[in-house]
Amino acid sequence: MYSSNLKGFILAVVSSAFIGSSFIIKKKGLRKAGVNGPRAGSGGYGYLLEPLWWVGMVTMIVGEIANFIAYIYAPAVLVTPLGALSIIVSSAILAHFLLKEKLQKMGMLGCLLCIVGSTIIVLHAPEERSINSVEEIWELATQPAFLLYTGSVLAVALALILYCAPRYGQTNIMVYIGLCSIIGSLTVMSVKAIGIAIKLTLEGINQAKYFQTWVFAMVAITCIITQLNYLNMALDTFNTAVVSPIYYAGFTSFTIFASAIMFKDYAGQSASSIASELCGFITVLSGTAVLHSTRDPDPPFIADLYTPLSPKVSWYIQGNGEHWKQKDEDGLSPSFMTIIRQDYFK
């Protein structure tokens, strides 16, 4: 059991490094694609023609494969919290140097809290339960408690997609991230089921003959596609230093909750172990809150030489955007324009 958890731990660390890097590479690709067409945050799909975005996508796939294998060897409550390492890779290191998204000293403290909290969770993680067939997983997935959870997730997801995303997606980060998080919990459960099925098949117990294996595969593919779509929108719309930790907090929360319902991870654990894991998770959430409070506002996106801020006012940008000059359209006085400029950049 110890060796199995160690394999899962190593794979999860490798996965976090690749996935954290993919956040940065994909965002650079999204920025390049957004210059020549509709941005992903506005519903555009021009990034599909951008090679840099595909490099980031391949990097993410490698990380997800490592993550997929990690779930075979270790419980979700051990593997998932290690996603905090991807926050450090993407928010504290790569985003700071490559995307120029400045991370303050308090942001560094937030990253440290995420690591400390994740370590506490890992040290008190429960052991992986032994499962001998995909049919056994199907029984766990169709128990009333998990069916209720799945139904609730689908209802909330539909509400976010059909009502909240068109109205508040561009201004409220929790719309896109919330959707990715709740759908992600179902992704992990189905991916874990597929991983166990593959492991049993390789050991000589064929699981491909059961229809449940293919149901889990279809659920996983659908959830992954949905996650990628809305994660792209979140990355294109909001600061990476904020997207990464909030996504981690939400994804981890719902995954641990879903795993506790489906696999009954905490059955038989002592109260002290459960309390320690809870404290670790609160520490992680505190770290993400600190990171959120230190975000720098995103600069306005410039699609062309002249970008109208309103029907009456336009601005001309020189060089790196530090010098702003009025493009006189309606004879507004310089003092009036100064007031508008000051108000806009507060």
Side-chain angles (χ1 to χ4, degrees):
M1 184 61 65
Y2 175 78
S3 176
S4 178
N5 277 4
L6 180 60
K7 290 179 182 177
F9 171 80
I10 294 174
L11 287 166
V13 171
V14 172
S15 169
S16 294
F18 276 93
I19 293 175
S21 301
S22 75
F23 269 91
I24 306 304
I25 300 172
K26 286 171 64 180
K27 181 152 189 175
K28 289 181 73 70
L30 289 170
R31 284 182 173 181
K32 289 185 64 177
V35 173
N36 301 316
R39 303 173 63 194
S42 301
Y45 293 94
Y47 60 85
L48 294 175
L49 302 178
E50 175 56 51
L52 189 59
W53 184 87
W54 281 106
V55 172
M57 189 65 186
V58 171
T59 305
M60 174 172 276
I61 290 174
V62 173
E64 292 295 351
I65 290 174
N67 199 47
F68 174 85
I69 301 174
Y71 281 114
I72 298 177
Y73 291 101
V77 295
L78 187 153
V79 175
T80 306
L82 291 174
L85 296 178
S86 67
I87 298 177
I88 302 304
V89 172
S90 62
S91 297
I93 302 176
L94 297 181
H96 180 78
F97 292 106
L98 300 182
L99 297 182
K100 308 303 179 184
E101 295 180 352
K102 189 175 181 181
L103 193 66
Q104 307 294 339
K105 291 182 179 179
M106 287 299 292
M108 295 295 182
L109 175 61
C111 289
L112 179 61
L113 288 173
C114 289
I115 292 297
V116 171
S118 296
T119 302
I120 294 173
I121 293 175
V122 169
L123 291 176
H124 296 276
E127 294 183 348
E128 175 79 324
R129 67 180 294 173
S130 177
I131 295 178
N132 300 314
S133 73
V134 74
E135 290 182 313
E136 186 176 342
I137 306 176
W138 182 261
E139 291 179 4
L140 296 174
T142 53
Q143 59 184 315
F146 191 75
L147 288 177
L148 178 61
Y149 174 80
T150 303
S152 300
V153 166
L154 294 177
V156 172
L158 287 175
L160 289 174
I161 292 172
L162 300 178
Y163 181 81
C164 296
R167 293 169 175 81
Y168 311 112
Q170 296 294 307
T171 57
N172 191 329
I173 192 173
M174 294 308 299
V175 174
Y176 294 149
I177 298 302
L179 184 58
C180 291
S181 298
I182 60 175
I183 293 296
S185 66
L186 297 183
T187 301
V188 171
M189 297 303 102
S190 55
V191 163
K192 187 171 181 64
I194 297 169
I196 293 174
I198 293 175
K199 180 183 177 182
L200 291 172
T201 300
L202 293 177
E203 291 175 352
I205 309 174
N206 184 18
Q207 301 295 303
K209 62 182 180 181
Y210 299 112
F211 79 92
Q212 291 94 334
T213 301
W214 302 104
V215 172
F216 284 127
M218 292 175 60
V219 171
I221 292 172
T222 302
C223 291
I224 289 171
I225 292 174
T226 303
Q227 276 184 268
L228 286 177
N229 183 47
Y230 286 96
L231 183 58
N232 281 330
M233 291 184 178
L235 287 171
D236 191 48
T237 306
F238 303 100
N239 193 307
T240 305
V242 180
V243 171
S244 298
I246 295 179
Y247 177 50
Y248 164 77
F251 177 72
T252 304
S253 300
F254 285 104
T255 298
I256 291 177
F257 185 57
S259 183
I261 295 175
M262 181 172 172
F263 292 100
K264 298 180 174 61
D265 291 323
Y266 298 101
Q269 274 201 303
S270 65
S272 61
S273 294
I274 296 175
S276 297
E277 290 183 60
L278 181 60
C279 290
F281 189 62
I282 292 174
T283 303
V284 171
L285 293 182
S286 299
T288 61
V290 171
L291 279 168
H292 192 293
S293 66
T294 59
R295 80 163 286 190
D296 285 335
D298 287 340
F301 179 78
I302 307 303
D304 203 347
L305 185 63
Y306 293 97
T307 302
L309 304 179
S310 74
K312 298 292 184 181
V313 181
S314 295
W315 299 91
Y316 173 68
I317 301 176
Q318 294 180 337
N320 59 5
E322 295 178 351
H323 304 289
W324 296 78
K325 188 185 298 182
Q326 175 189 357
K327 179 175 180 282
D328 190 5
E329 292 183 350
D330 291 324
L332 298 176
S333 66
S335 61
F336 178 74
M337 298 304 298
T338 301
I339 293 173
I340 293 178
R341 181 178 61 185
Q342 292 173 346
D343 288 342
Y344 182 75
F345 290 103
K346 280 184 178 180

